mmCIF file with all atom_site columns, all heavy atoms in Angstrom:
data_model
loop_
_atom_site.group_PDB
_atom_site.id
_atom_site.type_symbol
_atom_site.label_atom_id
_atom_site.label_alt_id
_atom_site.label_comp_id
_atom_site.label_asym_id
_atom_site.label_entity_id
_atom_site.label_seq_id
_atom_site.pdbx_PDB_ins_code
_atom_site.Cartn_x
_atom_site.Cartn_y
_atom_site.Cartn_z
_atom_site.occupancy
_atom_site.B_iso_or_equiv
_atom_site.pdbx_formal_charge
_atom_site.auth_seq_id
_atom_site.auth_comp_id
_atom_site.auth_asym_id
_atom_site.auth_atom_id
_atom_site.pdbx_PDB_model_num
ATOM 1   N N   . PRO Z 1 1  ? 0.799   -1.232 0.001   1.00 87.00 ? 1277 PRO Z N   1
ATOM 2   C CA  . PRO Z 1 1  ? 0.003   0.001  0.001   1.00 87.00 ? 1277 PRO Z CA  1
ATOM 3   C C   . PRO Z 1 1  ? 0.830   1.281  0.001   1.00 87.00 ? 1277 PRO Z C   1
ATOM 4   O O   . PRO Z 1 1  ? 0.325   2.340  -0.390  1.00 87.00 ? 1277 PRO Z O   1
ATOM 5   C CB  . PRO Z 1 1  ? -0.842  -0.121 1.286   1.00 87.00 ? 1277 PRO Z CB  1
ATOM 6   C CG  . PRO Z 1 1  ? -0.082  -1.075 2.148   1.00 87.00 ? 1277 PRO Z CG  1
ATOM 7   C CD  . PRO Z 1 1  ? 0.562   -2.048 1.210   1.00 87.00 ? 1277 PRO Z CD  1
ATOM 8   N N   . ASN Z 1 2  ? 2.097   1.201  0.402   1.00 84.00 ? 1278 ASN Z N   1
ATOM 9   C CA  . ASN Z 1 2  ? 2.946   2.391  0.431   1.00 84.00 ? 1278 ASN Z CA  1
ATOM 10  C C   . ASN Z 1 2  ? 3.705   2.630  -0.867  1.00 84.00 ? 1278 ASN Z C   1
ATOM 11  O O   . ASN Z 1 2  ? 4.416   3.631  -0.994  1.00 84.00 ? 1278 ASN Z O   1
ATOM 12  C CB  . ASN Z 1 2  ? 3.953   2.288  1.586   1.00 84.00 ? 1278 ASN Z CB  1
ATOM 13  C CG  . ASN Z 1 2  ? 3.278   2.324  2.947   1.00 84.00 ? 1278 ASN Z CG  1
ATOM 14  O OD1 . ASN Z 1 2  ? 2.267   2.994  3.120   1.00 84.00 ? 1278 ASN Z OD1 1
ATOM 15  N ND2 . ASN Z 1 2  ? 3.823   1.592  3.904   1.00 84.00 ? 1278 ASN Z ND2 1
ATOM 16  N N   . LEU Z 1 3  ? 3.568   1.719  -1.825  1.00 88.00 ? 1279 LEU Z N   1
ATOM 17  C CA  . LEU Z 1 3  ? 4.237   1.896  -3.110  1.00 88.00 ? 1279 LEU Z CA  1
ATOM 18  C C   . LEU Z 1 3  ? 3.485   2.931  -3.943  1.00 88.00 ? 1279 LEU Z C   1
ATOM 19  O O   . LEU Z 1 3  ? 2.281   2.824  -4.151  1.00 88.00 ? 1279 LEU Z O   1
ATOM 20  C CB  . LEU Z 1 3  ? 4.287   0.563  -3.862  1.00 88.00 ? 1279 LEU Z CB  1
ATOM 21  C CG  . LEU Z 1 3  ? 4.856   0.605  -5.287  1.00 88.00 ? 1279 LEU Z CG  1
ATOM 22  C CD1 . LEU Z 1 3  ? 6.299   1.072  -5.281  1.00 88.00 ? 1279 LEU Z CD1 1
ATOM 23  C CD2 . LEU Z 1 3  ? 4.744   -0.771 -5.941  1.00 88.00 ? 1279 LEU Z CD2 1
ATOM 24  N N   . ASN Z 1 4  ? 4.187   3.950  -4.410  1.00 91.00 ? 1280 ASN Z N   1
ATOM 25  C CA  . ASN Z 1 4  ? 3.579   4.991  -5.240  1.00 91.00 ? 1280 ASN Z CA  1
ATOM 26  C C   . ASN Z 1 4  ? 3.390   4.466  -6.660  1.00 91.00 ? 1280 ASN Z C   1
ATOM 27  O O   . ASN Z 1 4  ? 4.375   4.130  -7.334  1.00 91.00 ? 1280 ASN Z O   1
ATOM 28  C CB  . ASN Z 1 4  ? 4.476   6.233  -5.266  1.00 91.00 ? 1280 ASN Z CB  1
ATOM 29  C CG  . ASN Z 1 4  ? 4.641   6.854  -3.894  1.00 91.00 ? 1280 ASN Z CG  1
ATOM 30  O OD1 . ASN Z 1 4  ? 3.675   7.309  -3.296  1.00 91.00 ? 1280 ASN Z OD1 1
ATOM 31  N ND2 . ASN Z 1 4  ? 5.865   6.873  -3.380  1.00 91.00 ? 1280 ASN Z ND2 1
ATOM 32  N N   . ILE Z 1 5  ? 2.135   4.396  -7.104  1.00 93.00 ? 1281 ILE Z N   1
ATOM 33  C CA  . ILE Z 1 5  ? 1.830   3.875  -8.441  1.00 93.00 ? 1281 ILE Z CA  1
ATOM 34  C C   . ILE Z 1 5  ? 1.210   4.976  -9.299  1.00 93.00 ? 1281 ILE Z C   1
ATOM 35  O O   . ILE Z 1 5  ? 0.210   5.592  -8.922  1.00 93.00 ? 1281 ILE Z O   1
ATOM 36  C CB  . ILE Z 1 5  ? 0.866   2.679  -8.371  1.00 93.00 ? 1281 ILE Z CB  1
ATOM 37  C CG1 . ILE Z 1 5  ? 1.460   1.563  -7.495  1.00 93.00 ? 1281 ILE Z CG1 1
ATOM 38  C CG2 . ILE Z 1 5  ? 0.571   2.150  -9.777  1.00 93.00 ? 1281 ILE Z CG2 1
ATOM 39  C CD1 . ILE Z 1 5  ? 0.534   0.371  -7.312  1.00 93.00 ? 1281 ILE Z CD1 1
ATOM 40  N N   . VAL Z 1 6  ? 1.836   5.217  -10.446 1.00 94.00 ? 1282 VAL Z N   1
ATOM 41  C CA  . VAL Z 1 6  ? 1.303   6.170  -11.421 1.00 94.00 ? 1282 VAL Z CA  1
ATOM 42  C C   . VAL Z 1 6  ? 0.759   5.387  -12.605 1.00 94.00 ? 1282 VAL Z C   1
ATOM 43  O O   . VAL Z 1 6  ? 1.489   4.603  -13.227 1.00 94.00 ? 1282 VAL Z O   1
ATOM 44  C CB  . VAL Z 1 6  ? 2.394   7.150  -11.901 1.00 94.00 ? 1282 VAL Z CB  1
ATOM 45  C CG1 . VAL Z 1 6  ? 1.845   8.063  -13.000 1.00 94.00 ? 1282 VAL Z CG1 1
ATOM 46  C CG2 . VAL Z 1 6  ? 2.911   7.988  -10.732 1.00 94.00 ? 1282 VAL Z CG2 1
ATOM 47  N N   . LEU Z 1 7  ? -0.518  5.571  -12.907 1.00 95.00 ? 1283 LEU Z N   1
ATOM 48  C CA  . LEU Z 1 7  ? -1.151  4.863  -14.011 1.00 95.00 ? 1283 LEU Z CA  1
ATOM 49  C C   . LEU Z 1 7  ? -0.821  5.548  -15.339 1.00 95.00 ? 1283 LEU Z C   1
ATOM 50  O O   . LEU Z 1 7  ? -0.700  6.765  -15.396 1.00 95.00 ? 1283 LEU Z O   1
ATOM 51  C CB  . LEU Z 1 7  ? -2.666  4.841  -13.815 1.00 95.00 ? 1283 LEU Z CB  1
ATOM 52  C CG  . LEU Z 1 7  ? -3.177  4.295  -12.473 1.00 95.00 ? 1283 LEU Z CG  1
ATOM 53  C CD1 . LEU Z 1 7  ? -4.688  4.411  -12.400 1.00 95.00 ? 1283 LEU Z CD1 1
ATOM 54  C CD2 . LEU Z 1 7  ? -2.735  2.854  -12.273 1.00 95.00 ? 1283 LEU Z CD2 1
ATOM 55  N N   . MET Z 1 8  ? -0.697  4.744  -16.404 1.00 95.00 ? 1284 MET Z N   1
ATOM 56  C CA  . MET Z 1 8  ? -0.446  5.292  -17.738 1.00 95.00 ? 1284 MET Z CA  1
ATOM 57  C C   . MET Z 1 8  ? -1.469  4.727  -18.715 1.00 95.00 ? 1284 MET Z C   1
ATOM 58  O O   . MET Z 1 8  ? -1.203  3.757  -19.437 1.00 95.00 ? 1284 MET Z O   1
ATOM 59  C CB  . MET Z 1 8  ? 0.976   4.965  -18.189 1.00 95.00 ? 1284 MET Z CB  1
ATOM 60  C CG  . MET Z 1 8  ? 2.042   5.607  -17.327 1.00 95.00 ? 1284 MET Z CG  1
ATOM 61  S SD  . MET Z 1 8  ? 3.699   5.477  -18.034 1.00 95.00 ? 1284 MET Z SD  1
ATOM 62  C CE  . MET Z 1 8  ? 3.904   3.697  -18.100 1.00 95.00 ? 1284 MET Z CE  1
ATOM 63  N N   . PRO Z 1 9  ? -2.676  5.311  -18.734 1.00 94.00 ? 1285 PRO Z N   1
ATOM 64  C CA  . PRO Z 1 9  ? -3.727  4.842  -19.649 1.00 94.00 ? 1285 PRO Z CA  1
ATOM 65  C C   . PRO Z 1 9  ? -3.679  5.606  -20.978 1.00 94.00 ? 1285 PRO Z C   1
ATOM 66  O O   . PRO Z 1 9  ? -3.026  6.650  -21.089 1.00 94.00 ? 1285 PRO Z O   1
ATOM 67  C CB  . PRO Z 1 9  ? -5.000  5.201  -18.878 1.00 94.00 ? 1285 PRO Z CB  1
ATOM 68  C CG  . PRO Z 1 9  ? -4.624  6.475  -18.167 1.00 94.00 ? 1285 PRO Z CG  1
ATOM 69  C CD  . PRO Z 1 9  ? -3.164  6.358  -17.819 1.00 94.00 ? 1285 PRO Z CD  1
ATOM 70  N N   . ARG Z 1 10 ? -4.379  5.060  -21.965 1.00 91.00 ? 1286 ARG Z N   1
ATOM 71  C CA  . ARG Z 1 10 ? -4.545  5.774  -23.233 1.00 91.00 ? 1286 ARG Z CA  1
ATOM 72  C C   . ARG Z 1 10 ? -5.516  6.934  -23.044 1.00 91.00 ? 1286 ARG Z C   1
ATOM 73  O O   . ARG Z 1 10 ? -6.366  6.926  -22.140 1.00 91.00 ? 1286 ARG Z O   1
ATOM 74  C CB  . ARG Z 1 10 ? -5.091  4.832  -24.306 1.00 91.00 ? 1286 ARG Z CB  1
ATOM 75  C CG  . ARG Z 1 10 ? -4.132  3.747  -24.734 1.00 91.00 ? 1286 ARG Z CG  1
ATOM 76  C CD  . ARG Z 1 10 ? -3.056  4.270  -25.642 1.00 91.00 ? 1286 ARG Z CD  1
ATOM 77  N NE  . ARG Z 1 10 ? -2.181  3.200  -26.118 1.00 91.00 ? 1286 ARG Z NE  1
ATOM 78  C CZ  . ARG Z 1 10 ? -1.113  3.403  -26.882 1.00 91.00 ? 1286 ARG Z CZ  1
ATOM 79  N NH1 . ARG Z 1 10 ? -0.799  4.629  -27.245 1.00 91.00 ? 1286 ARG Z NH1 1
ATOM 80  N NH2 . ARG Z 1 10 ? -0.369  2.386  -27.268 1.00 91.00 ? 1286 ARG Z NH2 1
ATOM 81  N N   . LEU Z 1 11 ? -5.388  7.921  -23.905 1.00 87.00 ? 1287 LEU Z N   1
ATOM 82  C CA  . LEU Z 1 11 ? -6.267  9.090  -23.841 1.00 87.00 ? 1287 LEU Z CA  1
ATOM 83  C C   . LEU Z 1 11 ? -7.559  8.781  -24.593 1.00 87.00 ? 1287 LEU Z C   1
ATOM 84  O O   . LEU Z 1 11 ? -7.811  9.262  -25.688 1.00 87.00 ? 1287 LEU Z O   1
ATOM 85  C CB  . LEU Z 1 11 ? -5.566  10.315 -24.439 1.00 87.00 ? 1287 LEU Z CB  1
ATOM 86  C CG  . LEU Z 1 11 ? -6.256  11.670 -24.261 1.00 87.00 ? 1287 LEU Z CG  1
ATOM 87  C CD1 . LEU Z 1 11 ? -6.493  11.974 -22.790 1.00 87.00 ? 1287 LEU Z CD1 1
ATOM 88  C CD2 . LEU Z 1 11 ? -5.433  12.771 -24.914 1.00 87.00 ? 1287 LEU Z CD2 1
ATOM 89  N N   . ASN Z 1 12 ? -8.404  7.927  -23.976 1.00 91.00 ? 1288 ASN Z N   1
ATOM 90  C CA  . ASN Z 1 12 ? -9.688  7.562  -24.552 1.00 91.00 ? 1288 ASN Z CA  1
ATOM 91  C C   . ASN Z 1 12 ? -10.656 7.191  -23.430 1.00 91.00 ? 1288 ASN Z C   1
ATOM 92  O O   . ASN Z 1 12 ? -10.322 7.320  -22.242 1.00 91.00 ? 1288 ASN Z O   1
ATOM 93  C CB  . ASN Z 1 12 ? -9.532  6.406  -25.561 1.00 91.00 ? 1288 ASN Z CB  1
ATOM 94  C CG  . ASN Z 1 12 ? -8.829  5.190  -24.950 1.00 91.00 ? 1288 ASN Z CG  1
ATOM 95  O OD1 . ASN Z 1 12 ? -8.918  4.949  -23.743 1.00 91.00 ? 1288 ASN Z OD1 1
ATOM 96  N ND2 . ASN Z 1 12 ? -8.143  4.427  -25.788 1.00 91.00 ? 1288 ASN Z ND2 1
ATOM 97  N N   . SER Z 1 13 ? -11.845 6.732  -23.769 1.00 93.00 ? 1289 SER Z N   1
ATOM 98  C CA  . SER Z 1 13 ? -12.862 6.455  -22.750 1.00 93.00 ? 1289 SER Z CA  1
ATOM 99  C C   . SER Z 1 13 ? -12.448 5.303  -21.834 1.00 93.00 ? 1289 SER Z C   1
ATOM 100 O O   . SER Z 1 13 ? -12.716 5.331  -20.628 1.00 93.00 ? 1289 SER Z O   1
ATOM 101 C CB  . SER Z 1 13 ? -14.206 6.138  -23.412 1.00 93.00 ? 1289 SER Z CB  1
ATOM 102 O OG  . SER Z 1 13 ? -14.090 5.037  -24.303 1.00 93.00 ? 1289 SER Z OG  1
ATOM 103 N N   . LYS Z 1 14 ? -11.786 4.291  -22.387 1.00 94.00 ? 1290 LYS Z N   1
ATOM 104 C CA  . LYS Z 1 14 ? -11.325 3.186  -21.542 1.00 94.00 ? 1290 LYS Z CA  1
ATOM 105 C C   . LYS Z 1 14 ? -10.263 3.665  -20.559 1.00 94.00 ? 1290 LYS Z C   1
ATOM 106 O O   . LYS Z 1 14 ? -10.228 3.253  -19.399 1.00 94.00 ? 1290 LYS Z O   1
ATOM 107 C CB  . LYS Z 1 14 ? -10.765 2.062  -22.413 1.00 94.00 ? 1290 LYS Z CB  1
ATOM 108 C CG  . LYS Z 1 14 ? -11.814 1.304  -23.214 1.00 94.00 ? 1290 LYS Z CG  1
ATOM 109 C CD  . LYS Z 1 14 ? -11.184 0.170  -23.998 1.00 94.00 ? 1290 LYS Z CD  1
ATOM 110 C CE  . LYS Z 1 14 ? -12.241 -0.609 -24.782 1.00 94.00 ? 1290 LYS Z CE  1
ATOM 111 N NZ  . LYS Z 1 14 ? -11.637 -1.721 -25.569 1.00 94.00 ? 1290 LYS Z NZ  1
ATOM 112 N N   . GLY Z 1 15 ? -9.400  4.552  -21.033 1.00 93.00 ? 1291 GLY Z N   1
ATOM 113 C CA  . GLY Z 1 15 ? -8.371  5.111  -20.162 1.00 93.00 ? 1291 GLY Z CA  1
ATOM 114 C C   . GLY Z 1 15 ? -8.966  5.944  -19.044 1.00 93.00 ? 1291 GLY Z C   1
ATOM 115 O O   . GLY Z 1 15 ? -8.481  5.932  -17.907 1.00 93.00 ? 1291 GLY Z O   1
ATOM 116 N N   . ALA Z 1 16 ? -10.043 6.692  -19.365 1.00 93.00 ? 1292 ALA Z N   1
ATOM 117 C CA  . ALA Z 1 16 ? -10.716 7.505  -18.353 1.00 93.00 ? 1292 ALA Z CA  1
ATOM 118 C C   . ALA Z 1 16 ? -11.282 6.625  -17.239 1.00 93.00 ? 1292 ALA Z C   1
ATOM 119 O O   . ALA Z 1 16 ? -11.206 6.966  -16.049 1.00 93.00 ? 1292 ALA Z O   1
ATOM 120 C CB  . ALA Z 1 16 ? -11.822 8.329  -18.992 1.00 93.00 ? 1292 ALA Z CB  1
ATOM 121 N N   . ALA Z 1 17 ? -11.844 5.474  -17.620 1.00 95.00 ? 1293 ALA Z N   1
ATOM 122 C CA  . ALA Z 1 17 ? -12.391 4.547  -16.626 1.00 95.00 ? 1293 ALA Z CA  1
ATOM 123 C C   . ALA Z 1 17 ? -11.285 4.003  -15.728 1.00 95.00 ? 1293 ALA Z C   1
ATOM 124 O O   . ALA Z 1 17 ? -11.461 3.846  -14.518 1.00 95.00 ? 1293 ALA Z O   1
ATOM 125 C CB  . ALA Z 1 17 ? -13.122 3.400  -17.332 1.00 95.00 ? 1293 ALA Z CB  1
ATOM 126 N N   . VAL Z 1 18 ? -10.126 3.733  -16.318 1.00 96.00 ? 1294 VAL Z N   1
ATOM 127 C CA  . VAL Z 1 18 ? -8.973  3.247  -15.554 1.00 96.00 ? 1294 VAL Z CA  1
ATOM 128 C C   . VAL Z 1 18 ? -8.536  4.295  -14.533 1.00 96.00 ? 1294 VAL Z C   1
ATOM 129 O O   . VAL Z 1 18 ? -8.264  3.978  -13.370 1.00 96.00 ? 1294 VAL Z O   1
ATOM 130 C CB  . VAL Z 1 18 ? -7.797  2.905  -16.501 1.00 96.00 ? 1294 VAL Z CB  1
ATOM 131 C CG1 . VAL Z 1 18 ? -6.504  2.700  -15.700 1.00 96.00 ? 1294 VAL Z CG1 1
ATOM 132 C CG2 . VAL Z 1 18 ? -8.113  1.668  -17.315 1.00 96.00 ? 1294 VAL Z CG2 1
ATOM 133 N N   . VAL Z 1 19 ? -8.486  5.546  -14.965 1.00 93.00 ? 1295 VAL Z N   1
ATOM 134 C CA  . VAL Z 1 19 ? -8.057  6.631  -14.077 1.00 93.00 ? 1295 VAL Z CA  1
ATOM 135 C C   . VAL Z 1 19 ? -8.996  6.781  -12.887 1.00 93.00 ? 1295 VAL Z C   1
ATOM 136 O O   . VAL Z 1 19 ? -8.556  6.857  -11.731 1.00 93.00 ? 1295 VAL Z O   1
ATOM 137 C CB  . VAL Z 1 19 ? -7.962  7.965  -14.850 1.00 93.00 ? 1295 VAL Z CB  1
ATOM 138 C CG1 . VAL Z 1 19 ? -7.809  9.139  -13.881 1.00 93.00 ? 1295 VAL Z CG1 1
ATOM 139 C CG2 . VAL Z 1 19 ? -6.790  7.933  -15.812 1.00 93.00 ? 1295 VAL Z CG2 1
ATOM 140 N N   . LEU Z 1 20 ? -10.294 6.849  -13.144 1.00 91.00 ? 1296 LEU Z N   1
ATOM 141 C CA  . LEU Z 1 20 ? -11.266 7.032  -12.059 1.00 91.00 ? 1296 LEU Z CA  1
ATOM 142 C C   . LEU Z 1 20 ? -11.208 5.898  -11.050 1.00 91.00 ? 1296 LEU Z C   1
ATOM 143 O O   . LEU Z 1 20 ? -11.214 6.119  -9.833  1.00 91.00 ? 1296 LEU Z O   1
ATOM 144 C CB  . LEU Z 1 20 ? -12.680 7.159  -12.640 1.00 91.00 ? 1296 LEU Z CB  1
ATOM 145 C CG  . LEU Z 1 20 ? -12.963 8.441  -13.418 1.00 91.00 ? 1296 LEU Z CG  1
ATOM 146 C CD1 . LEU Z 1 20 ? -14.348 8.381  -14.056 1.00 91.00 ? 1296 LEU Z CD1 1
ATOM 147 C CD2 . LEU Z 1 20 ? -12.865 9.667  -12.515 1.00 91.00 ? 1296 LEU Z CD2 1
ATOM 148 N N   . GLN Z 1 21 ? -11.146 4.671  -11.549 1.00 94.00 ? 1297 GLN Z N   1
ATOM 149 C CA  . GLN Z 1 21 ? -11.077 3.520  -10.661 1.00 94.00 ? 1297 GLN Z CA  1
ATOM 150 C C   . GLN Z 1 21 ? -9.742  3.487  -9.916  1.00 94.00 ? 1297 GLN Z C   1
ATOM 151 O O   . GLN Z 1 21 ? -9.683  3.191  -8.721  1.00 94.00 ? 1297 GLN Z O   1
ATOM 152 C CB  . GLN Z 1 21 ? -11.269 2.230  -11.459 1.00 94.00 ? 1297 GLN Z CB  1
ATOM 153 C CG  . GLN Z 1 21 ? -11.161 0.951  -10.642 1.00 94.00 ? 1297 GLN Z CG  1
ATOM 154 C CD  . GLN Z 1 21 ? -12.336 0.737  -9.697  1.00 94.00 ? 1297 GLN Z CD  1
ATOM 155 O OE1 . GLN Z 1 21 ? -13.183 1.596  -9.527  1.00 94.00 ? 1297 GLN Z OE1 1
ATOM 156 N NE2 . GLN Z 1 21 ? -12.371 -0.425 -9.067  1.00 94.00 ? 1297 GLN Z NE2 1
ATOM 157 N N   . GLY Z 1 22 ? -8.665  3.798  -10.632 1.00 94.00 ? 1298 GLY Z N   1
ATOM 158 C CA  . GLY Z 1 22 ? -7.342  3.755  -10.030 1.00 94.00 ? 1298 GLY Z CA  1
ATOM 159 C C   . GLY Z 1 22 ? -7.155  4.784  -8.932  1.00 94.00 ? 1298 GLY Z C   1
ATOM 160 O O   . GLY Z 1 22 ? -6.626  4.472  -7.854  1.00 94.00 ? 1298 GLY Z O   1
ATOM 161 N N   . LEU Z 1 23 ? -7.595  6.009  -9.170  1.00 90.00 ? 1299 LEU Z N   1
ATOM 162 C CA  . LEU Z 1 23 ? -7.474  7.049  -8.146  1.00 90.00 ? 1299 LEU Z CA  1
ATOM 163 C C   . LEU Z 1 23 ? -8.314  6.701  -6.921  1.00 90.00 ? 1299 LEU Z C   1
ATOM 164 O O   . LEU Z 1 23 ? -7.910  6.946  -5.779  1.00 90.00 ? 1299 LEU Z O   1
ATOM 165 C CB  . LEU Z 1 23 ? -7.904  8.407  -8.716  1.00 90.00 ? 1299 LEU Z CB  1
ATOM 166 C CG  . LEU Z 1 23 ? -6.959  9.043  -9.733  1.00 90.00 ? 1299 LEU Z CG  1
ATOM 167 C CD1 . LEU Z 1 23 ? -7.564  10.323 -10.280 1.00 90.00 ? 1299 LEU Z CD1 1
ATOM 168 C CD2 . LEU Z 1 23 ? -5.586  9.324  -9.124  1.00 90.00 ? 1299 LEU Z CD2 1
ATOM 169 N N   . ASN Z 1 24 ? -9.483  6.148  -7.178  1.00 88.00 ? 1300 ASN Z N   1
ATOM 170 C CA  . ASN Z 1 24 ? -10.350 5.729  -6.078  1.00 88.00 ? 1300 ASN Z CA  1
ATOM 171 C C   . ASN Z 1 24 ? -9.689  4.644  -5.225  1.00 88.00 ? 1300 ASN Z C   1
ATOM 172 O O   . ASN Z 1 24 ? -9.907  4.581  -4.009  1.00 88.00 ? 1300 ASN Z O   1
ATOM 173 C CB  . ASN Z 1 24 ? -11.692 5.218  -6.627  1.00 88.00 ? 1300 ASN Z CB  1
ATOM 174 C CG  . ASN Z 1 24 ? -12.700 4.941  -5.532  1.00 88.00 ? 1300 ASN Z CG  1
ATOM 175 O OD1 . ASN Z 1 24 ? -12.611 5.469  -4.427  1.00 88.00 ? 1300 ASN Z OD1 1
ATOM 176 N ND2 . ASN Z 1 24 ? -13.675 4.102  -5.817  1.00 88.00 ? 1300 ASN Z ND2 1
#
């Protein structure tokens, strides 16, 4: 849980879903 993870999704609708879920 202490590992800093930065997501790298594509700039599209699937990527947006990844970002919202990932940040949450």
Side-chain angles (χ1 to χ4, degrees):
N1278 294 326
L1279 175 62
N1280 297 297
I1281 302 177
V1282 175
L1283 306 177
M1284 296 191 299
R1286 292 284 184 183
L1287 189 57
N1288 55 29
S1289 58
K1290 290 183 179 179
V1294 167
V1295 168
L1296 290 174
Q1297 177 71 352
L1299 289 176
N1300 187 22

